[in-house]
């Protein structure tokens, strides 16, 4: 089955620790995205990548870092600099990266719920 | 610029009632429009899409028509079920591969 997997489903972090959230896709999509969702809120874009070895900051990139060394993988690190990291994190992908077609569709993973203890 | 505005929730309906969730957008050019559904504790699932004016997207009894003249993409369903309880997001994509999401509308259907 093709799709997007995120792990772990639940993650607990102590204050001052860095944690890395995994996102893998086997859809052969060029573009990948990370969003943050707070309770009762919409989605806010953290980072996105349109091609391997390249990524751009979204609206709320401070305190987060990413890498895109492989097409299928786009891990997100939540650093200790992120002051309020407790949230639901969603990874997504879409087929076309730099081509930027306006007919593209974004597909989402199941999410990771991060809680800071 | 590009943006999506959808009706504030929460919306509570009785089973078999008619559903409308309003969505309007601002965009240059020719965006594609989407409705996503999110069940509790899960990611977003694509519900339906439309890629050009006057297109109607449909899936699982839900429908939405891309109205360029009113810049709208309202979601409708003729008879909702308890299993339709979820949060619904309207979204658009324009050139440059940027997606824009509304803030979500929570729907609760009571038996």
């Amino acid at each position: 089955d093709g799709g997007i997997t995120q792990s772990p489903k639940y993650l607990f972090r102590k204050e001052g620790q860095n944690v890395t959230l995994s996102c893998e896709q086997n859809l052969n999509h060029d573009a990948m995205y990370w969003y943050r969702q707070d309770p009762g809120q919409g989605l806010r874009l953290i980072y996105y990548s349109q091609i391997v070895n390249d990524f751009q900051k979204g609206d709320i990139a401070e305190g987060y870092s990413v890498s895109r060394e492989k097409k299928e993988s786009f891990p997100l690190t939540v650093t200790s600099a992120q002051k309020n990291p407790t949230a639901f994190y969603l990874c997504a992908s879409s087929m076309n990266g730099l081509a930027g077609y306006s007919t593209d569709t974004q597909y989402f993973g199941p999410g990771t719920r991060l809680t800071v203890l | 610029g590009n943006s999506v505005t959808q009706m504030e929730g929460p919306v509570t309906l009785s089973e078999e009632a008619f559903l409308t969730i309003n969505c309007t957008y601002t965009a240059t050019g020719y965006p594609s429009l989407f409705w996503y559904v999110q069940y509790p504790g899960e990611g977003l699932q694509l519900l339906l899409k439309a890629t050009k004016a006057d297109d109607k997207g449909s899936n699982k009894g839900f429908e939405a028509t891309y109205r360029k003249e009113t810049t709208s993409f309202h979601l409708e369903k003729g008879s909702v079920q308890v299993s339709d309880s979820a949060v619904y997001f309207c979204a658009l994509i324009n050139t440059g591969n940027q997606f824009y999401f509304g803030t979500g509308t929570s729907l609760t259907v009571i038996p």
Side-chain angles (χ1 to χ4, degrees):
Chain A
D1 278 341
I4 303 173
T5 57
Q6 291 186 242
S7 61
K9 187 170 177 64
Y10 299 96
L11 185 58
F12 298 91
R13 189 195 95 170
K14 293 182 181 179
E15 293 214 21
Q17 281 183 337
N18 292 355
V19 290
T20 297
L21 283 60
S22 168
C23 177
E24 305 276 332
Q25 54 98 0
N26 61 4
L27 301 167
N28 200 33
H29 285 176
D30 283 332
M32 297 186 74
Y33 309 79
W34 274 105
Y35 293 92
R36 170 179 172 143
Q37 187 178 29
D38 292 285
Q41 303 294 313
L43 280 67
R44 291 188 288 170
L45 182 64
I46 304 172
Y47 269 98
Y48 65 101
S49 168
Q50 294 179 307
I51 195 169
V52 175
N53 292 322
D54 189 43
F55 48 83
Q56 284 77 43
K57 293 181 179 180
D59 302 320
I60 56 164
E62 185 174 351
Y64 300 97
S65 66
V66 294
S67 63
R68 185 86 187 278
E69 297 176 2
K70 298 186 295 183
K71 187 175 185 177
E72 60 270 24
S73 178
F74 191 42
L76 173 74
T77 297
V78 184
T79 75
S80 57
Q82 170 49 239
K83 296 307 178 190
N84 185 21
T86 294
F88 191 50
Y89 290 87
L90 289 162
C91 179
S93 71
S94 62
M95 181 176 295
N96 297 292
L98 296 176
Y101 296 121
S102 64
T103 55
D104 217 348
T105 299
Q106 200 164 75
Y107 297 93
F108 285 81
T112 292
R113 186 166 300 282
L114 172 64
T115 303
V116 173
L117 302 174
Chain B
N2 299 287
S3 66
V4 175
T5 302
Q6 59 182 107
M7 64 184 285
E8 296 273 340
V11 174
T12 302
L13 295 173
S14 297
E15 204 164 24
E16 299 184 2
F18 186 86
L19 169 71
T20 300
I21 301 178
N22 290 337
C23 172
T24 58
Y25 68 91
T26 302
T28 56
Y30 305 96
S32 293
L33 302 173
F34 306 84
W35 277 101
Y36 287 86
V37 59
Q38 184 180 34
Y39 299 101
E42 298 183 8
L44 276 66
Q45 299 175 25
L46 178 66
L47 182 59
L48 53 84
K49 65 184 275 189
T51 59
K52 61 183 187 297
D54 299 325
D55 266 3
K56 178 185 282 189
S58 61
N59 186 25
K60 301 180 181 179
F62 291 90
E63 293 183 339
T65 301
Y66 188 164
R67 302 281 189 204
K68 195 166 177 67
E69 64 275 14
T70 54
T71 62
S72 65
F73 193 55
H74 304 322
L75 182 68
E76 296 182 336
K77 186 175 185 183
S79 176
V80 292
Q81 306 300 312
V82 171
S83 57
D84 294 327
S85 298
V87 180
Y88 293 82
F89 289 91
C90 185
L92 72 82
I93 181 176
N94 213 336
T95 53
N97 216 29
Q98 287 284 349
F99 287 81
Y100 300 86
F101 288 86
T103 53
T105 301
S106 174
L107 169 67
T108 300
V109 180
I110 54 177

